[in-house]
Amino acid sequence: MNALNDDLDYKQILRDAGLRVTPQRASILTVLSEADDHPNVEDLYEKTRALDDTVSVATVYRTMSVLENAGLVRKLMLDDAPARYEMMPHTDHDHLVDVESGELIEIPGTEIADLMGRVAAELGYEIISHHTVIRARKT
């Protein structure tokens, strides 16, 4: 767990991003920051509803859009599946998706970023950010 797990911190994070603080937003941030499975909106709704019964699916959709636009969360689009979300990481990282189970796994390390940086430099570019999704099947 990180320092974001206190509701007071969530309120300050929302304020720092110039967003209005609401109990629903704080609850959604609480659930998302504690998730280790990159939840979709329906997952967030179910878990947030357990904390705050005033939350609706529409509220979660609107809140995720607001949080994404504010740079607090990252939206992960994976093929035809519903969008999944994670708190904006402090550093870029990549993901591996099991094409059979849909499991989403964070790939630690910098090897992929280093390789992409070298390729971009050879082409005369500097990478500002990246996000790689590798689709794989267990052997």
Side-chain angles (χ1 to χ4, degrees):
M1 301 278 167
N2 57 34
L4 296 177
N5 289 333
D6 182 319
D7 273 357
L8 295 174
D9 288 337
Y10 294 123
K11 291 174 184 175
Q12 190 58 50
I13 288 166
L14 290 167
R15 283 187 202 100
D16 290 347
L19 301 175
R20 191 167 51 92
V21 176
T22 67
Q24 293 86 359
R25 287 179 179 174
S27 294
I28 291 167
L29 279 173
T30 298
V31 169
L32 185 59
S33 71
E34 293 175 354
D36 57 1
D37 60 349
H38 302 81
N40 62 33
V41 166
E42 291 296 326
D43 297 332
L44 286 168
Y45 167 71
E46 289 175 17
K47 292 175 183 174
T48 303
R49 185 92 173 152
L51 294 177
D52 182 347
D53 64 1
T54 67
V55 173
S56 68
V57 172
T59 299
V60 177
Y61 273 106
R62 281 191 306 272
T63 298
M64 295 315 294
S65 178
V66 167
L67 296 175
E68 180 187 10
N69 289 334
L72 298 176
V73 302
R74 177 187 284 168
K75 182 178 188 176
L76 305 170
M77 299 298 296
L78 308 170
D79 297 330
D80 295 333
R84 295 167 76 173
Y85 295 89
E86 66 180 347
M87 295 296 292
M88 185 56 80
H90 296 292
T91 59
D92 283 327
H93 62 271
D94 303 293
H95 293 92
L96 182 139
V97 178
D98 183 314
V99 296
E100 293 180 1
S101 71
E103 181 181 10
L104 185 65
I105 302 162
E106 288 187 9
I107 301 173
T110 62
E111 292 84 7
I112 294 171
D114 293 344
L115 175 60
M116 287 191 298
R118 285 193 306 272
V119 170
E122 289 172 11
L123 296 172
Y125 288 89
E126 173 187 8
I127 295 177
I128 304 304
S129 70
H130 82 277
H131 179 237
T132 304
V133 176
I134 300 169
R135 288 157 185 79
R137 178 178 296 114
K138 282 193 175 186
T139 56

